[in-house]
């Protein structure tokens, strides 16, 4: 009786290393994000996150190389390469989406519902301390006009309610959205306008964004304008426009519940 020796094809080393690098890249990305979240936000502290994606890109290239070797030489490990490649795609999806936003949205980090006369941020001691002495700079008029094309729905909120009631609704909307209200002034006085200043933080990286809201009385009710400005970088990836939209939805919901 003769034994038949069966030689199995070796597992592709490129597939093995692609999975290892993909898992390592995932670990580094998660750790870098956690470190960034619990530290002081800055552009320099984004470097470890960007560096982690070097491993992700290398892992995706190795996975593609593994597919080629497996096809040509019949090596095993296609499942390993598929796992690595899918993990890389998952990690690269936010980067690809960010690149799409960079190519399609206006280069802004400050969005206002009033592009002609944006609400001004408070310069009180309380507001300046909370913003670490920072006052968001004015945006040139031509860039504000570009905002109208990129974010056509960022418009003033007009309510058929007295300004005092609109102020209370705007303040409640800020609290419901989880924003930190720094200070407020009810409508009245010389200008007749009320205002609110607040701070919001992004969900993933916990970046600080500054918000100011102006409430003006009208003959038929009131008008609310909101301005949201990012502290870090010159492009907000649409975050401020989304925040304004969320505020508008919350205000309308509170009006309906009255």
């Amino acid at each position: 009786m003769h034994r038949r020796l069966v030689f199995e094809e070796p597992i592709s080393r490129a597939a093995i290393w692609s999975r290892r690098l993909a898992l390592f890249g995932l670990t580094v990305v998660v750790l870098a994000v956690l470190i960034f979240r619990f530290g002081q936000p800055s552009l320099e502290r984004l470097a470890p996150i960007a560096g982690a994606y070097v491993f992700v890109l290398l892992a995706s290239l190795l996975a593609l190389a593994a597919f080629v070797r497996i096809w040509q030489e019949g090596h095993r490990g296609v499942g390993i390469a598929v796992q690595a490649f899918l993990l890389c795609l998952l990690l690269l999806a936010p980067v690809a989406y960010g690149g799409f936003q960079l190519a399609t949205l206006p280069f802004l980090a400050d969005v206002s519902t009033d592009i002609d006369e944006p609400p001004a941020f408070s310069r009180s001691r309380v507001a300046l301390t909370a913003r670490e002495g920072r006052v968001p700079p004015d945006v040139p008029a031509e860039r504000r006009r570009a905002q109208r094309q990129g974010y056509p729905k960022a418009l003033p909120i007009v309510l058929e309610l007295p300004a005092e009631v609109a102020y209370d609704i705007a303040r409640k909307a800020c609290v419901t959205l989880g924003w930190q209200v720094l200070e407020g002034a009810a409508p009245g006085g010389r200008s007749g306008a009320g205002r609110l200043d607040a701070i919001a933080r992004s969900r993933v990286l916990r970046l600080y964004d500054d918000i100011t809201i102006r409430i003006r009385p009208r003959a038929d009710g009131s008008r609310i304008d909101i301005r949201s400005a990012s502290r870090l970088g010159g492009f907000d990836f649409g975050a401020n426009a989304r925040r304004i939209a969320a505020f508008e939805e919350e205000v309308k919901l509170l009006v309906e519940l009255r």
Side-chain angles (χ1 to χ4, degrees):
M1 186 174 181
H2 299 283
R3 289 186 177 180
R4 297 180 59 184
L5 298 177
V6 178
F7 295 96
E8 291 186 348
E9 292 292 338
I11 298 177
S12 169
R13 292 180 61 84
I16 294 173
W17 278 102
S18 67
R19 185 169 65 178
R20 289 176 179 174
L21 281 176
L23 291 173
F24 181 73
L26 172 63
T27 303
V28 177
V29 168
V30 171
L31 289 176
V33 169
L34 289 175
I35 292 172
F36 188 92
R37 279 172 59 94
F38 295 105
Q40 186 67 25
S42 67
L43 290 175
E44 292 77 13
R45 297 185 72 249
L46 287 172
I49 300 176
Y53 274 94
V54 174
F55 297 102
V56 177
L57 288 172
L58 184 57
S60 63
L61 293 176
L62 278 175
L64 292 174
F67 290 139
V68 174
R69 294 292 299 274
I70 291 170
W71 175 265
Q72 292 178 343
E73 302 181 13
H75 289 179
R76 294 183 298 139
V78 63
I80 298 174
V82 168
Q83 292 173 12
F85 191 70
L86 290 178
L87 179 56
C88 290
L89 288 181
L90 182 64
L91 290 170
L92 290 171
V95 178
Y97 182 61
F100 173 77
Q101 290 180 311
L102 187 61
T104 56
L105 296 178
F107 195 81
L108 286 170
D110 184 325
V111 178
S112 171
T113 57
D114 188 342
I115 63 173
D116 297 317
E117 188 184 353
F121 285 91
S122 172
R123 294 176 180 266
S124 71
R125 179 180 300 178
V126 172
L128 288 174
T129 300
R131 295 197 302 262
E132 299 177 345
R134 180 182 183 276
V135 178
D138 294 332
V139 178
E142 60 273 13
R143 293 181 65 192
R144 285 287 184 206
R145 287 191 289 270
Q147 172 206 303
R148 184 63 75 219
Q149 296 179 351
Y151 307 119
K153 294 184 179 180
L155 299 172
I157 304 171
V158 178
L159 302 177
E160 295 179 354
L161 295 170
E164 294 78 8
V165 177
Y167 171 82
D168 292 336
I169 290 174
R171 190 181 189 99
K172 189 173 182 179
C174 292
V175 175
T176 304
L177 290 169
W179 301 349
Q180 177 189 355
V181 178
L182 304 179
E183 63 178 17
R190 295 181 179 179
S191 66
R195 62 173 179 81
L196 290 161
D197 275 72
I199 292 176
R201 300 194 72 178
S202 62
R203 291 183 179 179
V204 178
L205 296 179
R206 305 297 290 166
L207 298 172
Y208 289 98
D209 294 329
D210 298 310
I211 302 163
T212 186
I213 300 168
R214 182 179 63 209
I215 303 96
R216 282 177 168 172
R218 288 164 47 102
D220 56 349
S222 56
R223 166 175 165 163
I224 302 176
D225 281 292
I226 176 172
R227 177 182 173 189
S228 181
S230 300
R231 293 188 190 180
L232 193 64
F235 182 69
D236 64 1
F237 296 94
N240 289 304
R242 289 192 297 271
R243 183 172 294 111
I244 289 174
F247 175 78
E248 181 181 7
E249 290 179 7
E250 188 62 33
V251 167
K252 290 181 178 179
L253 178 62
L254 291 173
V255 171
E256 292 176 0
L257 294 176
R258 289 189 74 253

